Each structure stands twice: as structure tokens, then as C-alpha cells.
Amino acid sequence: MAAKRKRGALSAGKAKRARSAPSGGEAVPEERSVPPQEYSIPPPVSQGKWKNKERVLIFSSRGINFRTRHLMQDLRTLMPHSKADTKMDRKDQLFVINEVCEMKNCNKCIFFEAKKKQDLYMWLSNTPHGPSAKFLVQNVHTLAELKMTGNCLRGSRPLLSFDPIFDQEPHYTLLKELFIQIFSTPQYHPKSQPFVDHVFTFSITDERIWFRNYQIIEEDASLVEIGPRFVLNLIKIFQGSFGGPTLYENPHYQSPNTHRRLIKLSVAAKFREKQQVKEVQKIKKKGTKVLVEEDPTEVVFETPAEEKPVEIQFVKPESKPIVKDKKKLRKIQRKKQKKLFRTEG
């Protein structure tokens, strides 16, 4: 293959030599033909400098299920300023995560903690000094589900939309600032794109925080849900990172163990109620019934049957021989009849 020409280099044999000087003695400079550029380099994505160097570490503990793993992967794709790490052992204490964030050069962390292979908890922390918040994650739906029909550019910067209640309560105000620092992509990040085509919404309903991700359609500025979606039930807010004094505790929070126990008690109460109803019905059936007076006209058409004379047999009846052959049975009957005739004669 022929070697590629460098940008700005002269093509061989096409450079024109200097013309001969005219009679006036003035030298004419050489005329060079500039070849067309083979490659066009686009301008840089952003002219600014990446100053807000926020890095978020997203990882989990061992024992998570497939849905949690897909949710964690979706958050990594939506957040170009995130980093990944191996799963943490269950025996390790949570404050070890601060050292992991320091080694990964991250100042924010999203940690998924799985318990009993069915309960999922999410930690949002500002490492290493805090604050941090612990949530119970419910109703998880990922990007791969068919319900989500939207799409957005990979690495684009999102808009953050918050419920007005976030500005009314002090603990929600703290969580709003934590969400802004973790989920917003820093400006001029090397892996980000200079487009804004999706929105992260945080709304509060039923004392829970509902997370949704919507695509912004350019034609009519309508919204189409992309995913993932999940619900965060706040448990506690700590002053430090993954521990420390408790700043706020949710009075409406109910642990999954308590919820499951109440469901079992309600089912047992229904069963007991059914058993009690059955016992009451049995007692009603066994109770004394109301006696109805006898009707004297019922006996009018009753006719007494004739009494049969009672016959008493003092002699045991002869046992009949069991004969399967009918011819033999007939012969035996004939012999008996002959004996009777002889005795009578």
C-alpha cells in the first residue's frame, strides 16, 4: 500500500520552480500549490477546563441478585464520571469503603448492600468526611426492560428536576445537595458529551423518593421514560461517611422484616377467623331445635299390617350341598324324592 501523505507536505514533482528573473533583475518568489487536506480534524468538544472533578465510586457487596447488578451497570452507563470496583466482602466493615474511595481517587460513593438475598440497601456518601444517607431500595426496573421506550446519547449531561418539597424540609434539602453532587455530570468532563437530552427527576410521594429518567424529544419537547427507575425509602442520615452521629431518622420507615412479619400475622388472623366461624356454626347445629307439635291427621291413612304367625323350628335345617354341576344336583333331588315315596308307601 502506498504510504499516506502527511498533512501540509508537498506532493512530489508538483512543486514549481522559481521562474527566471525578468530583465529588471527582480527575483520572483516560488509559487507552491497547497494540496487538499486528507483528514479533517473537528474542533475540540469543549473549550473550557474541567474544574469540578467529581468522581463517584459505584460498587456493591457480595450476594446481590441479577436485578441489582443490572441497576448498578445502568447507573455506570448514565454517569460518565463514575468508577467501578470489585464487590466487597460481607465481613468487612463499612468504614473500609472510605479507604477504597481514596485509592480510587473518588470523593463520592454509591454502595449497594444486599441482606438475606432479598433486601437491597443503598448508601450515598460524601467521602471521607460525610454526610451519608442510607436508603431501602424498592420497585427496581432496569434499562433492559421493554417498558422503557426512550433513548439518549451515551455520556450526555442530564438535567436534575426536584420536587418543591425538597426546599421545605431541612433533611430533604441536605439530600438534594447530595443528589446534585453525585448524579450531575461535571462540566467539561473528558468522557461527557456537550448535549442535554435527558432529565433525572426526584419526586416525593408517600414519604419516599421516586427516581425517574426521561428523554427530551426535540420536536415537541415531550418526555419519554428511559429508565432505570427505583424508589428510595429513607432510613437515616449520618454526619460522617458510612457512620457517625445520626442527623435524621425517618419515623415512617418500616423494616422489611417487620413488614413480612405483619403480613404473616394478618394471614394467620384470617385463618383463625375462619376456624372460629366454623366452630360457631357447629355449635348452632348441635343446639336444641324448636319442636313442632304433632299433627293428629297424619295417622289417618296409616293401615296396620297383618301380623304373621310366628313359626318356631326346633330341628336344624339340613345344609344344602354345594354342587357346581347341575346334573348331579338333579340326581340328588330325585334320590330324595324316591326315599320320600318309599317311606310314605
Side-chain angles (χ1 to χ4, degrees):
M1 295 176 66
K4 294 182 179 180
R5 293 175 294 175
K6 294 183 179 179
R7 192 179 302 157
L10 296 174
S11 58
K14 290 187 178 181
K16 295 183 179 180
R17 296 181 181 178
R19 296 179 182 177
S20 57
S23 60
E26 295 179 356
V28 179
E30 295 182 354
E31 293 181 0
R32 296 183 180 181
S33 62
V34 180
Q37 293 183 355
E38 189 171 352
Y39 302 105
S40 61
I41 300 175
V45 172
S46 60
Q47 302 292 338
K49 188 177 181 182
W50 178 34
K51 296 179 181 179
N52 182 20
K53 297 191 177 182
E54 295 281 353
R55 299 181 182 90
V56 183
L57 180 65
I58 303 176
F59 72 118
S60 68
S61 64
R62 295 194 181 277
I64 61 173
N65 55 7
F66 72 98
R67 192 176 293 275
T68 308
R69 188 173 67 252
H70 285 292
L71 173 63
M72 187 170 56
Q73 190 63 35
D74 293 344
L75 290 178
R76 287 174 184 168
T77 55
L78 290 173
M79 300 165 64
H81 59 293
S82 63
K83 288 188 176 182
D85 194 24
T86 57
K87 295 179 181 178
M88 196 180 74
D89 197 359
R90 293 181 183 177
K91 297 179 181 179
D92 295 339
Q93 299 296 328
L94 290 177
F95 60 83
V96 180
I97 301 175
N98 295 325
E99 300 177 2
V100 177
C101 292
E102 187 178 356
M103 288 188 293
K104 289 285 185 177
N105 196 17
C106 296
N107 50 6
K108 299 288 185 297
C109 180
I110 299 177
F111 177 68
F112 292 95
E113 185 180 8
K115 290 184 179 180
K116 294 186 177 181
K117 295 183 179 180
Q118 55 184 343
D119 301 331
L120 178 62
Y121 298 91
M122 179 193 284
W123 285 84
L124 299 179
S125 176
N126 180 23
T127 57
H129 304 295
S132 60
K134 184 179 181 181
F135 301 91
L136 175 67
V137 186
Q138 299 171 330
N139 301 333
V140 178
H141 296 274
T142 58
L143 275 169
E145 296 187 13
L146 296 177
K147 295 178 183 178
M148 316 300 181
T149 57
N151 192 8
C152 67
L153 182 66
R154 185 186 180 95
S156 59
R157 301 181 66 218
L159 294 174
L160 299 184
S161 173
F162 290 93
D163 197 282
I165 306 176
F166 276 97
D167 297 327
Q168 299 174 5
E169 300 289 340
H171 59 281
Y172 282 138
T173 307
L174 177 61
L175 289 177
K176 178 181 177 181
E177 185 63 30
L178 194 61
F179 288 147
I180 290 173
Q181 295 184 14
I182 290 178
F183 287 97
S184 61
T185 303
Q187 193 177 13
Y188 305 128
H189 191 276
K191 292 183 180 180
S192 66
Q193 299 291 338
F195 302 102
V196 178
D197 58 354
H198 63 288
V199 186
F200 289 163
T201 62
F202 298 88
S203 56
I204 298 174
T205 308
D206 194 20
E207 304 296 336
R208 290 171 174 81
I209 301 172
W210 299 64
F211 175 85
R212 295 289 185 271
N213 182 19
Y214 295 98
Q215 176 196 0
I216 304 174
I217 300 177
E218 296 180 358
E219 288 79 7
D220 52 354
S222 60
L223 298 178
V224 179
E225 188 172 0
I226 303 173
R229 58 157 71 170
F230 51 87
V231 179
L232 299 177
N233 191 358
L234 178 63
I235 302 174
K236 284 183 181 181
I237 300 176
F238 300 95
Q239 184 176 353
S241 177
F242 295 98
T246 304
L247 298 179
Y248 176 78
E249 184 174 0
N250 188 8
H252 306 283
Y253 171 71
Q254 188 181 68
S255 65
N257 293 331
T258 308
H259 181 65
R260 285 190 287 267
R261 183 169 58 84
L262 291 176
I263 291 175
K264 289 180 180 179
L265 290 175
S266 64
V267 173
K270 288 181 181 178
F271 180 75
R272 285 197 210 97
E273 187 178 354
K274 287 182 180 179
Q275 293 296 325
Q276 289 175 0
V277 170
K278 288 181 180 179
E279 290 177 0
V280 170
Q281 289 176 354
K282 287 180 181 179
I283 292 170
K284 285 182 179 180
K285 288 179 181 179
K286 290 180 180 179
T288 56
K289 297 181 180 179
V290 180
L291 297 176
V292 183
E293 296 180 358
E294 294 184 358
D295 189 5
T297 59
E298 288 182 355
V299 202
V300 173
F301 297 100
E302 288 185 1
T303 55
E306 296 180 357
E307 294 183 359
K308 294 182 179 180
V310 181
E311 295 181 359
I312 300 174
Q313 293 183 356
F314 296 98
V315 182
K316 181 180 178 182
E318 293 181 0
S319 60
K320 295 180 180 179
I322 302 171
V323 181
K324 294 183 179 179
D325 194 357
K326 292 183 179 180
K327 292 183 179 179
K328 290 183 179 180
L329 182 62
R330 290 172 186 169
K331 288 180 180 179
I332 293 169
Q333 289 177 354
R334 287 173 186 170
K335 286 180 181 180
K336 287 182 179 180
Q337 288 176 359
K338 288 179 181 179
K339 286 182 181 178
L340 288 172
F341 284 127
R342 286 175 186 173
T343 52
E344 287 178 359

